[in-house]
Amino acid sequence: DEKEKFEPTVFRDTIVQGLNEAGSDLEAIAKFLDATGSRLDYRRYADTLFDILVAGSMLAPGGTRIDDNDKTKMTSHCVFFADEDHDAIRNYAQVFNKLIRRYKYLEKAFEDEIKKLLLFLKAFTETEQTKLAMLSGILLANGTLPATILTSLFTDNIVKEGIAASFAVKLFKAWMAEKDANSVTSALRKANLDKRLLELFPANRQNVDHFAKYFTEAGLKELSDFLRVQQSLGTRKELQKELQALYFLLQVVLYVKEEMKRNELPEPAVIGLLWTCVMNAVEWNKKEELVAEQALKHLKQYAPLLAVFSTQGQSELILLQKVQEYCYDNIHFMKAFQKIVVLFYKADVLSEEAILKWYKEAHVAKGKSVFLDQMKKFVEWLQNAEEESESEGEEN
């Protein structure tokens, strides 16, 4: 008894022998698994148990069969050797249902097993992939598996090969044959996967039109319609967020203008204060390679506000100096200076004249050589554009 519990090879041999003796009688297989669970350590060897029930033998990392050359350590009474037929696979699904109902602790282990098998899809034949997809779809429909197992399909190597999308189509078909499209979409929403379906395709094909065409041609028009609706709702939510942000900025602009009027504050005095407030509103990332991206995203949102209060040349120069001082004082921003200035130029916060004046004479001493060097190419581009504009004017 101790030997059977603690040696995986003995465990494997016992399961394989029992399955071979039960043969194609799934009722006998279910009874064998039920009875053997009290004698063998299912908890310890759950992955071996499920490997054999699905693939017929133990699987090595990557999905290859460990005992491929030794037929005595394999069984053909498993999912991969079943008929490629929905009813046949459903009968196998019942074996798993009964086993997990009897030994409740196997529920999480079985979920992990299916996630693992989805990562191994490349190692399986097309017909084996189809049977696994059907099994997964049926078990998802009856609630034995959670929809979160589908996250394994978003792995790069199977997405690029087109395996993820092909597998998903077969899985969803089996699921809908058991229940309906509403069951699928409801489960996807609960698992927060409803907005990730495009990730089943490579990056250059992650668009609604390609998804809709692929799924419609596969007979899953309900899911392509579902994705279109989700995308439409997402766009509306984004628009709502943008409108709320604009309304907030408008309120700030009105408030600041009232304060300027009441306290007789000049614009150059206000722009520096606004810059400080905007930069203090965020907890910045400590990694230099990430902070630039975070800063640009944040400042793009507030650029319209800064543009309202940088209408004078003096205000623009003060803003540039504030940006320079901030990037020098906060070392993670040192490489972000040029990107911020270009963003403000494109957003009409800073003019060409102000940038050139800052470059030639109005910069402050802090980090001067570093920032002037960063701006050199952009300034040259501005000067060339200015010269071209002047020559065109003379010709006219």
Side-chain angles (χ1 to χ4, degrees), residues 220-237:
L220 293 169
K221 188 174 184 300
E222 298 97 329
L223 290 186
S224 65
D225 291 343
F226 168 73
L227 185 75
R228 283 190 187 281
V229 170
Q230 291 302 107
Q231 292 292 317
S232 173
L233 288 173
T235 305
R236 281 187 220 167
K237 283 178 183 173

Side-chain angles (χ1 to χ4, degrees), residues 255-389:
Y255 170 76
V256 173
K257 285 200 167 184
E258 282 176 16
E259 289 298 305
M260 284 174 69
K261 190 175 179 181
R262 192 156 60 87
N263 297 297
E264 297 182 353
L265 292 170
E267 186 184 271
V270 172
I271 192 68
L273 182 64
L274 282 176
W275 164 261
T276 304
C277 290
V278 166
M279 295 308 281
N280 287 344
V282 176
E283 188 171 330
W284 297 107
N285 200 300
K286 296 291 186 287
K287 292 184 179 177
E288 187 178 315
E289 64 271 20
L290 298 176
V291 80
E293 186 182 342
Q294 184 190 6
L296 293 177
K297 190 175 179 182
H298 177 65
L299 290 171
K300 188 176 181 181
Q301 185 182 351
Y302 284 95
L305 172 65
L306 295 169
V308 172
F309 298 98
S310 60
T311 60
Q312 302 170 16
Q314 186 62 25
S315 306
E316 294 178 70
L317 285 174
I318 285 176
L319 177 59
L320 265 165
Q321 289 166 353
K322 289 287 182 186
V323 176
Q324 180 185 346
E325 287 173 346
Y326 187 91
C327 289
Y328 178 81
D329 292 337
N330 298 273
I331 194 165
H332 296 307
F333 282 82
M334 286 292 280
K335 291 181 181 176
F337 176 76
Q338 187 259 4
K339 292 176 181 176
I340 293 171
V341 175
V342 172
L343 169 69
F344 283 166
Y345 172 73
K346 289 180 178 177
D348 293 326
V349 178
L350 297 172
S351 66
E352 177 184 320
E353 293 77 18
I355 295 170
L356 292 175
K357 187 174 176 64
W358 169 87
Y359 186 81
K360 290 171 186 172
E361 59 190 65
H363 49 262
V364 293
K366 287 185 173 182
K368 171 178 127 179
S369 58
V370 174
F371 298 131
L372 291 180
D373 187 55
Q374 275 186 38
M375 292 297 296
K376 187 178 178 184
K377 284 187 179 178
F378 183 64
V379 166
E380 285 173 0
W381 179 81
L382 287 176
Q383 287 171 333
N384 290 336
E386 188 179 34
E387 286 167 10
E388 285 173 18
S389 178

Side-chain angles (χ1 to χ4, degrees), residues 161-212:
E161 300 271 343
I163 296 171
S166 170
F167 185 90
V169 162
K170 294 167 185 172
L171 180 149
F172 288 135
K173 276 188 170 179
W175 191 341
M176 286 164 63
E178 291 291 301
K179 288 280 184 79
D180 55 24
N182 287 336
S183 160
V184 176
T185 54
S186 174
L188 290 174
R189 276 199 205 95
K190 282 180 185 173
N192 292 320
L193 295 174
D194 49 324
K195 294 180 182 67
R196 294 192 64 190
L197 292 176
L198 289 180
E199 293 176 38
L200 292 167
F201 298 95
N204 61 342
R205 293 185 179 178
Q206 284 182 15
N207 60 73
V208 178
D209 290 338
H210 178 75
F211 180 95

Side-chain angles (χ1 to χ4, degrees), residues 13-25 28-29 32 75 77:
D13 294 344
T14 306
I15 296 296
V16 167
Q17 184 184 344
L19 293 177
N20 286 337
E21 286 173 2
S24 56
D25 184 349
I29 286 177
F32 158 72
T75 180
H77 304 293

Side-chain angles (χ1 to χ4, degrees), residues 93 96-97 110 114 134-145:
F96 289 101
N97 284 334
F110 184 53
I114 297 297
M134 291 164 74
L135 177 73
S136 302
I138 293 165
L139 292 171
L140 280 160
N142 64 36
T144 303
L145 287 173

